[in-house]
Amino acid sequence: MASNRSVQCAQEPVTYTCAMCDSDDEVRWYCNDCQENLCDRCKEFHSRGKKTKNDDVVSIGDANRQGDKPVPEVCKLHPGKLCDLFCSDCNEFLCGICLSKIHKHHNWKPFEDEFSSKMQHLKEHMAAISTKIKHFKNETSERHRDNEWFNDNIDTVRKEVNSKRTKLKAEVDYIADAILAELSAFEREESTMHKKDCQRSEKKVEELTRLLNDAEMTDTSSVSLFETERSVRTTLPLYDVNVRYVSPKQPRFVTGSIDRVMLTKTFGKVHHENQYEKIDIDSKRVQRLSKFSVPQRHQPFSICPVDDSHAWLSIHQYQRLVLVNKKGVVKESIKLDFCPFLITMVGTTDILMTSIPLRTFVYKLSLHNKQVTTFADIRPHQSHDVGVNEWGEVFVSTDTPEIVVLNQSGTIIRKFAIGSEKILDIVCLSSGRLCVVHTIRGSWDDRHMKITDESGTVIQTWTGELDNGQKVGSMYLWNMSCDKYDRVFVPDISNNQVYVLPRDGKQAMCLLDQKHEVVRPSALGVDTCGNVWIGCEDGTVHVMGL
């Protein structure tokens, strides 16, 4: 509550000084152009001046001061008095008379103090608004980017569907052509037989006609009759009319039933990945969803999730690819005649893989018929890792600086080099970008990452910088993966850690801490729910939820 002395001070009128005569008597005017206070007398001179007669002179309560203290309004209840006080209890401006009569026992403060406070609050609100604007602009940009990725993926799937349709049409055409060719062969055979049969019958008609003519021309009054009769009698049995003509068997087309279920299984179907929100990486919130040991308990070389609960694995010294669920139960096992090394999915129908020991070949496994074929031979290079971008191009690392690019037929379409170090592991990001792991000064035990465009031009290099300001020393980076937000997840065997490098980010986050008990991670895959499958040297796989 205000003190009596404060009330007395507040009741003292606010005085202004005329800028022209320094008088404080009847200073009731303000020139907005000159930014000066004026008394009644000087206001008249100011209005008649050659340079100032057109100036904007207003009542001092309506002054538009620039860079000066704020001017309070004139009190509506007490004309001539300025509302130079603020009642905190009533949240309104008032003059000294209002304070003494109505707000005497209320809490109040000078107009300038409240104005400064409100100005500070307004600045804080404006800053908050700017922050929110930035947030929603970033959110909009991210949504646009997601939409662009979504539409790109739709285009990719559409191309896969049309490609599959073309292949199935080609297969149907092949079968139909084979049947039509068989019918044409039947037709030619029948034409030949028809011609032969007709020629044989026509020959017999011709011979019998000649025999008949000979008989008719025989002189019945001579002994030639005997000879003719004997000739006819011995010749006629050669033309047996009791031999039945056998009609050719008519071909018919036995149509097969169209099994839509089998046809769908053969053709494929759209698998819509479960949508998941982008979750900020925080090792304290990361939880282990499951843990299991792989067959043979050997080191997983590569983990390739196919949905939110299954993944294909390649395993050290194991000539099989295995499909497991999140509990480690083997759902499918495909025997190979070599040990698979690093693998990647091509859509939902095929798996591309390299082998260990390294060879010049890239192999292709068709999940439809479980057949393995040689997809490409990139000699003289050896195939280390393989990745497929959004346009279906296949990128193969070679343990050299050179990357080999293949089309969907396995034909080499181009090559390019990234720096001078050996490129080991590779993952394809959106917009044609690549992320590669490479050696440092030829050392296999120290590795960094680079982000490049599709031509191999380096956009960014990551050498261990973390978001907490620290930097990792020597790193033994291995087989990596990315999520749908283009965040790269890469395991570091030597530091028992998985680093997450955000899209367009230069500092990585650590996914794990000691409580997760992940030791020497060497393989990694991100499933359709954003869960991270981590394979370790001891043959264990940890499925982690962010």
Side-chain angles (χ1 to χ4, degrees):
M1 184 176 294
S3 65
N4 292 332
R5 179 171 178 80
S6 297
V7 172
Q8 292 175 359
C9 291
Q11 291 175 339
E12 294 178 2
V14 178
T15 59
Y16 296 96
T17 302
C18 178
M20 296 182 68
C21 66
D22 292 330
S23 171
D24 57 5
D25 185 30
E26 297 180 330
V27 181
R28 291 190 291 242
W29 306 96
Y30 186 82
C31 179
N32 285 329
D33 294 309
C34 299
Q35 293 285 294
E36 292 178 343
N37 299 322
L38 300 170
C39 66
D40 289 347
R41 191 167 64 89
C42 292
K43 184 250 185 186
E44 293 299 325
F45 289 111
H46 196 84
S47 300
R48 292 197 299 269
K50 185 179 293 187
K51 295 183 179 181
T52 59
K53 62 180 179 180
N54 295 322
D55 283 2
D56 182 23
V57 178
V58 298
S59 172
I60 202 165
D62 298 326
N64 181 19
R65 298 178 184 269
Q66 301 176 7
D68 200 352
K69 292 183 179 180
V71 178
E73 296 179 350
V74 176
C75 182
K76 295 179 181 179
L77 298 178
H78 307 98
K81 297 296 183 180
L82 296 177
C83 292
D84 53 1
L85 304 172
F86 180 78
C87 180
S88 302
D89 296 338
C90 300
N91 194 32
E92 63 181 40
F93 293 104
L94 47 109
C95 69
I97 298 176
C98 291
L99 177 62
S100 63
K101 291 185 176 182
I102 305 173
H103 303 267
K104 186 175 182 180
H105 300 294
H106 292 181
N107 292 302
W108 63 274
K109 63 178 69 173
F111 169 83
E112 290 85 353
D113 292 350
E114 180 62 19
F115 188 89
S116 299
S117 176
K118 286 293 189 288
M119 180 62 73
Q120 182 60 35
H121 290 163
L122 181 60
K123 290 180 179 179
E124 293 173 358
H125 294 325
M126 292 170 64
I129 291 173
S130 298
T131 301
K132 291 180 183 292
I133 290 173
K134 183 179 180 180
H135 168 80
F136 288 116
K137 281 185 176 180
N138 290 338
E139 189 177 79
T140 302
S141 298
E142 187 170 344
R143 187 64 183 88
H144 285 320
R145 186 164 57 248
D146 287 345
N147 177 258
E148 182 180 347
W149 295 345
F150 186 89
N151 290 333
D152 287 346
N153 183 64
I154 290 292
D155 290 341
T156 300
V157 174
R158 185 177 288 115
K159 290 178 182 178
E160 291 177 358
V161 171
N162 286 326
S163 175
K164 190 69 173 182
R165 174 163 57 185
T166 301
K167 291 178 181 178
L168 279 180
K169 281 183 176 180
E171 290 296 329
V172 172
D173 289 342
Y174 176 82
I175 295 171
D177 289 343
I179 295 174
L180 294 174
E182 189 176 8
L183 288 174
S184 297
F186 288 154
E187 186 178 34
R188 289 192 298 271
E189 183 181 356
E190 163 60 16
S191 178
T192 301
M193 293 301 298
H194 170 261
K195 184 177 181 179
K196 288 182 178 180
D197 289 343
C198 290
Q199 287 176 346
R200 185 166 55 248
S201 297
E202 289 171 355
K203 182 179 180 180
K204 289 179 179 180
V205 169
E206 182 181 347
E207 290 174 349
L208 288 172
T209 300
R210 189 164 52 248
L211 184 63
L212 179 61
N213 289 335
D214 289 346
E216 290 176 345
M217 297 294 295
T218 301
D219 184 2
T220 57
S221 63
S222 66
V223 294
S224 61
L225 174 66
F226 293 92
E227 293 178 0
T228 300
E229 187 275 334
R230 185 175 63 251
S231 174
V232 170
R233 176 166 37 87
T234 56
T235 303
L236 199 58
L238 299 178
Y239 299 91
D240 188 1
V241 295
N242 293 319
V243 178
R244 298 191 61 182
Y245 164 71
V246 179
S247 298
K249 293 182 178 180
Q250 300 292 333
R252 60 192 183 91
F253 181 55
V254 181
T255 60
S257 61
I258 297 177
D259 188 336
R260 181 166 294 181
V261 174
M262 182 60 69
L263 188 59
T264 300
K265 185 176 181 180
T266 302
F267 189 89
K269 59 184 179 180
V270 173
H271 177 72
H272 187 208
E273 296 183 351
N274 295 327
Q275 298 296 316
Y276 62 92
E277 296 295 329
K278 183 177 180 180
I279 301 174
D280 292 335
I281 303 300
D282 184 351
S283 60
K284 295 180 180 178
R285 291 202 306 241
V286 174
Q287 294 183 343
R288 184 165 57 205
L289 304 179
S290 66
K291 176 184 177 182
F292 60 87
S293 295
V294 303
Q296 308 299 308
R297 294 184 178 273
H298 287 175
Q299 173 188 356
F301 276 146
S302 191
I303 301 176
C304 192
V306 294
D307 52 31
D308 59 350
S309 56
H310 296 85
W312 286 99
L313 307 180
S314 63
I315 302 169
H316 179 53
Q317 294 182 342
Y318 196 46
Q319 290 189 342
R320 286 181 178 272
L321 279 183
V322 293
L323 180 69
V324 299
N325 64 13
K326 283 196 289 192
K327 295 183 179 180
V329 178
V330 177
K331 296 296 183 179
E332 194 170 356
S333 179
I334 300 177
K335 183 172 176 55
L336 308 172
D337 59 4
F338 59 90
C339 290
F341 186 31
L342 302 181
I343 64 176
T344 190
M345 291 290 298
V346 181
T348 59
T349 60
D350 303 304
I351 294 177
L352 294 180
M353 67 190 109
T354 59
S355 62
I356 191 76
L358 299 183
R359 302 178 183 177
T360 62
F361 305 115
V362 176
Y363 299 97
K364 180 179 180 179
L365 168 65
S366 172
L367 296 177
H368 169 59
N369 56 20
K370 308 300 185 292
Q371 296 297 312
V372 177
T373 56
T374 299
F375 177 70
D377 185 349
I378 64 167
R379 68 183 63 199
H381 292 304
Q382 291 183 323
S383 304
H384 184 104
D385 196 5
V386 59
V388 182
N389 71 6
E390 56 200 328
W391 304 307
E393 294 179 325
V394 179
F395 293 76
V396 186
S397 63
T398 62
D399 281 1
T400 73
E402 197 162 58
I403 299 291
V404 177
V405 187
L406 314 169
N407 62 19
Q408 281 293 304
S409 299
T411 303
I412 297 176
I413 55 177
R414 66 180 183 277
K415 299 179 182 179
F416 59 85
I418 302 176
S420 59
E421 296 288 350
K422 296 179 179 178
I423 305 300
L424 307 178
D425 301 293
I426 186 170
V427 65
C428 293
L429 307 176
S430 65
S431 304
R433 299 183 308 146
L434 303 174
C435 182
V436 299
V437 168
H438 61 88
T439 59
I440 302 299
R441 293 180 293 277
S443 172
W444 288 81
D445 296 329
D446 194 6
R447 307 176 181 184
H448 290 169
M449 287 199 309
K450 282 185 169 64
I451 307 291
T452 78
D453 62 18
E454 60 181 338
S455 67
T457 301
V458 177
I459 301 171
Q460 173 186 344
T461 300
W462 185 70
T463 59
E465 296 82 4
L466 300 178
D467 63 339
N468 59 9
Q470 298 180 352
K471 183 176 180 179
V472 186
S474 178
M475 297 181 294
Y476 194 7
L477 306 179
W478 254 69
N479 184 236
M480 55 192 168
S481 184
C482 68
D483 67 3
K484 71 174 188 176
Y485 296 103
D486 260 8
R487 295 183 296 189
V488 178
F489 293 70
V490 57
D492 179 1
I493 295 178
S494 59
N495 292 298
N496 299 327
Q497 188 56 266
V498 171
Y499 307 113
V500 185
L501 186 65
R503 177 184 173 89
D504 302 326
K506 296 183 178 180
Q507 296 177 329
M509 290 81 75
C510 292
L511 184 71
L512 307 173
D513 57 27
Q514 292 183 350
K515 72 176 182 181
H516 297 123
E517 299 178 344
V518 175
V519 180
R520 295 185 68 78
S522 60
L524 191 143
V526 181
D527 68 24
T528 56
C529 275
N531 298 320
V532 183
W533 299 51
I534 306 171
C536 300
E537 276 192 349
D538 62 0
T540 59
V541 174
H542 305 255
V543 182
M544 315 297 286
L546 303 183

